[in-house]
Structures are given as C-alpha cells and as structure tokens.
C-alpha cells in the first residue's frame, strides 16, 4: 500500500476535521475558496478611500464601525488585469491572526462544506504571487483554497501597518 500524500485537515483549534467549510469566490472567472472560519461578513463594494504608501495589493480602505479596514485586491494578487470597481463586486471581511482586512472579489459564489478527505494539503504551496493551503477535489473540478494567513508577506504587512499609522495620524490633525 502506497503512503498517502494527503495530510490531515485540522480546525483552527488544532483538532481533526471531518468536513471543511469554504466560501467560494470568483475573480475574473477564476473560482477559488477561502476558509469559512476566517470570514467575518460579506458586503457590497463601496467607494474606497486612498491609502498612500500601502503595498500594491492594497487598493484602499473603508471605514468599518469607526475603524479603518484595509482592502486587498485578490485580482492584483493573482496577477490578473485591473479594472474599476463595480456595484456587483463584494468585500469579504476576513479575521486574520494579526488584523482584519477586506478582500475585494468579483462575487461571493457559495458557501460549501466538503468532506475533509477531499481536501489535499499536499499540493499546498506558493504560486508566483499567491499561496494556497490546499485543493478541494470536487466532482466538477479542483478548487484552490487560498492561504489567507500568508496573503501578505511580512514586508507587505509592515508597510501596511506604517501606511495605516500615517493615515490615522493625518486624520487626527
């Protein structure tokens, strides 16, 4: 019997998962997924405020309950052509370990629960610009699960922190 390349899927608290819930999003016809446990809420896109000196993947910020929320563009991270914001676009608010961010996507398609054994962590890794935490093998094809923890590099995260501090300092003047 060959050893399995499939790694165990775990929940955020480290226990083994029987199933994995994913938010399926679409960007320019590319379907990918976000782990549901980091999704806070989904909003229609709104006008974004500029955030000078932020990393290129940051397209601006929005005011969320009195606090600035940086907006990251999945389209830019995937190396897809940019386009202007549309009314049907969505902001997916994510709770990351060190901050909350909104991810700009074309559409939030579906919430999908799949058996843990259909998620292959062995193929997780780095593409040119975006990391995946695995692939869900579905009857209609493969669904790349984005590694939202690694969406920003440490340099981008530090640059974002600096840009947010500058924006807050300018707003308080």
């Amino acid at each position: 019997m060959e050893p399995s390349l499939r790694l165990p899927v775990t929940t955020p608290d480290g226990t083994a998962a029987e199933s994995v819930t994913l938010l399926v999003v679409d960007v320019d016809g590319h379907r990918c997924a976000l782990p549901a446990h980091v999704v806070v809420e989904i909003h229609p896109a709104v006008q974004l405020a500029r955030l000078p000196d932020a990393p290129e993947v940051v397209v601006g910020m929005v005011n969320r309950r009195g606090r600035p929320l940086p907006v990251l563009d999945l389209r830019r991270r995937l190396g897809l052509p940019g386009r202007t914001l549309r009314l049907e676009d969505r902001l997916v608010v994510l709770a990351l370990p060190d901050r909350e961010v909104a991810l700009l996507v074309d559409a939030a398609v579906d919430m999908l629960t799949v058996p843990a054994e259909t998620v292959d962590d062995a193929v997780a890794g780095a593409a040119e610009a975006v990391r995946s935490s695995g692939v869900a093998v579905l009857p209609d094809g493969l669904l790349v699960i984005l590694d939202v923890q690694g969406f920003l590099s440490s340099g981008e995260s530090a640059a974002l922190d600096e840009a947010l501090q500058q924006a807050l300092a300018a707003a308080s003047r």
Side-chain angles (χ1 to χ4, degrees):
M1 186 172 192
E2 282 185 29
S4 172
L5 293 178
R6 191 173 313 282
L7 300 176
V9 176
T10 57
T11 63
D13 66 4
T15 59
E18 292 182 20
S19 63
V20 178
T21 304
L22 304 167
L23 173 65
V24 179
V25 297
D26 179 81
V27 176
D28 200 32
H30 300 277
R31 196 174 68 145
C32 50
L34 304 166
H37 70 271
V38 299
V39 176
V40 176
E41 53 198 13
I42 303 168
H43 294 282
V46 295
Q47 184 173 353
L48 306 176
R50 288 190 61 241
L51 186 56
D53 302 321
E56 185 177 327
V57 71
V58 179
V59 290
M61 64 181 172
V62 295
N63 181 332
R64 181 168 177 267
R65 299 184 181 110
R67 299 184 64 193
L69 182 69
V71 178
L72 313 177
D73 189 353
L74 184 55
R75 179 179 295 278
R76 286 185 183 180
R77 180 53 79 203
L78 294 174
L80 298 170
R83 64 166 174 73
T84 57
L85 195 65
R86 298 184 313 194
L87 288 175
E88 43 297 331
D89 290 342
R90 294 291 177 255
L91 296 175
V92 180
V93 179
L94 304 174
L96 304 182
D98 58 341
R99 73 176 84 241
E100 280 193 351
V101 299
L103 192 60
L104 178 61
V105 300
D106 294 357
V109 179
D110 196 7
M111 193 68 80
L112 184 65
T113 300
V114 298
E117 63 268 9
T118 66
V119 176
D120 194 344
D121 294 356
V123 296
E128 193 169 304
V130 69
R131 291 186 175 275
S132 69
S133 61
V135 173
V137 181
L138 305 177
D140 62 343
L142 301 177
L143 182 62
V144 175
I145 303 167
L146 299 177
D147 175 12
V148 293
Q149 282 20 339
F151 196 84
L152 291 173
S153 69
S154 58
E156 288 172 326
S157 185
L160 177 55
D161 288 339
E162 180 66 27
L164 286 168
Q165 288 176 351
Q166 290 174 8
L168 288 173
S172 66
R173 290 184 201 145

